[in-house]
């Protein structure tokens, strides 16, 4: 019996038959039940609304989703928010002072737009002292496309006056090859975060394996559900440990659109509403790139230009 299944079974009102039906309907974890609607659970398990509501409430408790807190506590917690510089002051202002802790930041854009470069740069910059735009911390880099380059870390670290070997030792790299693995790594990341002074968690590219594994319209619901569950874990880590979660996302061409950007981030709405801050990258001339804020609750809409140089991301 899997750990997840055991957790489902431990919910009051969930017996073996119910747990089995939940699992068959795609609710494999307590978290997925916690974010489900009453109607969805009713339909999945063929039980009454009352019982479904009870199960969801129990799942929410078990998933340790926070209850209401007073606003002064929120303010208290926000005081601990830290920022990691991107290397470009213009880009930093666009991000609201850099990439924030206690938040999930998503950068999406076409190939070669600089998403992986920024992921490398942040893994270096998080190690800088606070007065230089860092958090004196370590990074976890989850690589789903085999594009992590230690050599690039070395050049970027040297350019910021860091000891390159030490910079490499401060980055924990994990290679994810399947979405199952990716979700597991996220859970494991929590353990590393607890032990080490990790202040940045990178997923580059968050959605590529989901895109590869879930093909065709009929798999869309399952994909979104799994992605939502994954993001719940990431938000929890960001929140609980005051970590900056930075994820990258590709765009899919939309041949059905004639106006505006003929591109759309993979993951659609789930990711759209789940990321705290979303920035869209596009290529410009040469090594120039343009970044734009997309529907952020805190940041004003705007654009900024940055360059990718030998030394890394710069104004
Ligand atoms: P996909 O992952 O394919 O979607 O693209 P991406 O957005 O991750 O692009 P990435 O960050 O890999 O950007 C690639 C660009 O960064 C290249 O086109 C180069 O212009 C630049 N670049 C990458 N490595 C170096 C380097 O070592 N030196 C310099 N000067 N530029 C680099
Ligand atoms: Mg990339």
């Amino acid at each position: 019996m899997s750990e997840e299944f055991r957790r489902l079974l431990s919910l009051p009102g969930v017996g073996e038959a119910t747990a089995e039906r939940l699992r068959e309907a795609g609710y494999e974890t307590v978290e997925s039940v916690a974010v489900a609607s009453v109607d969805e659970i009713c339909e999945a398990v063929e039980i009454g609304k009352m019982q479904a509501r009870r199960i969801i409430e129990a799942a929410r408790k078990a998933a340790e989703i926070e209850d209401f807190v007073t606003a002064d506590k929120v303010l208290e917690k926000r005081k601990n928010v830290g920022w990691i510089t991107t290397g470009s002051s213009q880009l930093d202002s666009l991000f609201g002072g850099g990439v924030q802790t206690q938040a999930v930041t998503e950068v999406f854009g076409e190939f070669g737009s600089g998403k992986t470069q920024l992921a490398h740069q942040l893994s270096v910059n998080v190690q800088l002292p606070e007065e230089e735009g860092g958090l004196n911390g370590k990074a976890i880099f989850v690589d789903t496309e085999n594009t992590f380059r230690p050599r690039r870390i070395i050049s970027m670290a040297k350019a910021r006056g860091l000891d390159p070997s030490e910079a490499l030792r401060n980055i924990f790299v994990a290679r994810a090859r399947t979405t199952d693995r990716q979700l597991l790594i996220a859970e494991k990341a929590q353990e590393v975060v607890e032990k080490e002074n990790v202040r940045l968690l990178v997923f580059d590219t968050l959605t590529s394996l989901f895109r590869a594994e879930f093909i065709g319209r009929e798999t869309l619901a399952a994909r979104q559900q799994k992605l939502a569950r994954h993001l719940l874990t990431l938000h929890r880590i960001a929140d609980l440990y005051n970590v900056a979660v930075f994820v990258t996302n590709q765009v899919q061409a939309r041949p059905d659109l004639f106006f505006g950007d003929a591109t759309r981030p993979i993951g659609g709405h789930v990711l759209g509403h789940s990321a705290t801050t979303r920035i869209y990258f596009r290529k410009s001339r040469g090594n120039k790139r343009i970044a734009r804020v997309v529907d952020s609750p805190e940041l004003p809409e705007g654009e900024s230009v940055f360059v990718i140089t030998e030394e890394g991301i710069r104004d």
Side-chain angles (χ1 to χ4, degrees):
M1 194 189 290
S2 76
E3 180 57 30
E4 293 291 5
F5 195 70
R6 224 189 304 273
R7 284 180 75 212
L8 272 183
L9 261 179
S10 71
L11 298 176
V14 177
E16 255 186 69
T18 309
E20 193 50 57
R21 276 205 216 125
L22 280 170
R23 185 161 72 174
E24 275 164 18
Y27 299 96
E28 290 169 16
T29 62
V30 166
E31 279 76 16
S32 62
V33 176
V35 296
S37 72
V38 171
D39 287 340
E40 282 167 341
I41 296 298
C42 283
E43 196 184 327
V45 198
E46 291 164 358
I47 50 172
K49 287 200 178 205
M50 282 272 278
Q51 199 189 341
R53 192 167 292 125
R54 263 205 299 275
I55 291 176
I56 292 169
E57 269 167 23
R60 287 192 177 161
K61 274 217 186 86
E64 289 170 11
I65 290 174
E66 272 185 39
D67 286 326
F68 291 103
V69 293
T70 49
D72 61 323
K73 292 263 164 52
V74 177
L75 181 68
E76 187 69 28
K77 195 162 158 236
R78 297 294 300 172
K79 276 190 196 148
N80 297 325
V81 167
W83 287 268
I84 306 166
T85 179
T86 60
S88 148
S89 58
Q90 285 209 30
L91 199 53
D92 282 352
S93 353
L94 196 76
F95 276 98
V99 174
Q100 271 195 28
T101 64
Q102 294 178 33
V104 176
T105 300
E106 174 194 348
V107 165
F108 68 104
E110 58 183 335
F111 70 94
S113 58
K115 305 180 295 290
T116 297
Q117 290 302 304
L118 180 55
H120 281 71
Q121 187 72 68
L122 291 169
S123 304
V124 169
N125 289 1
V126 68
Q127 304 181 33
L128 294 168
E130 281 185 30
E131 58 277 15
E132 287 174 42
L135 293 172
N136 254 318
K138 302 183 183 182
I140 294 177
F141 194 115
V142 183
D143 183 7
T144 72
E145 294 182 304
N146 212 8
T147 50
F148 178 78
R149 295 288 174 270
R151 287 196 177 285
R152 193 64 178 129
I153 295 294
I154 293 176
S155 335
M156 287 174 167
K158 278 187 184 158
R160 295 303 306 237
L162 291 170
D163 171 24
S165 335
E166 201 173 316
L168 289 171
R169 278 198 299 274
N170 287 335
I171 304 173
F172 301 91
V173 184
R175 174 100 166 84
R177 289 184 175 81
T178 63
T179 57
D180 281 336
R181 198 78 210 148
Q182 189 173 329
L183 263 65
L184 210 61
I185 288 172
E187 297 286 346
K188 286 250 178 227
Q190 193 161 328
E191 291 168 27
V192 181
V193 169
E194 271 174 26
K195 272 194 236 124
E196 308 277 347
N197 180 30
V198 170
R199 304 303 303 281
L200 171 71
L201 174 56
V202 171
F203 278 83
D204 182 32
T205 300
L206 183 77
T207 44
S208 56
L209 297 170
F210 286 86
R211 176 149 80 158
E213 277 175 36
F214 295 85
I215 301 160
R217 283 212 70 78
E218 68 282 1
T219 66
L220 198 64
R223 181 182 85 178
Q224 294 307 80
Q225 213 171 68
K226 197 166 186 180
L227 200 48
R229 202 190 327 147
H230 188 35
L231 281 155
L232 209 60
T233 307
L234 302 189
H235 275 284
R236 193 178 60 213
I237 295 174
D239 237 44
L240 230 48
Y241 304 99
N242 197 14
V243 161
V245 175
F246 178 80
V247 305
T248 66
N249 195 0
Q250 285 140 338
V251 286
Q252 55 193 13
R254 282 284 301 274
D256 53 321
L257 276 187
F258 286 94
F259 302 102
D261 284 316
T263 53
R264 196 163 81 96
I266 309 285
H269 283 317
V270 171
L271 206 50
H273 297 306
S274 174
T276 324
T277 300
R278 308 179 68 211
I279 309 275
Y280 175 60
F281 276 12
R282 68 178 194 273
K283 285 188 271 197
S284 180
R285 236 179 257 177
N287 64 349
K288 273 194 196 157
R289 300 289 184 275
I290 298 165
R292 188 176 79 214
V293 178
V294 181
D295 58 43
S296 156
E298 285 180 12
L299 305 175
E301 305 256 311
E303 278 197 352
S304 84
V305 181
F306 65 93
V307 291
I308 307 172
T309 73
E310 226 17 74
E311 309 202 306
I313 307 270
R314 293 291 183 271
D315 275 321

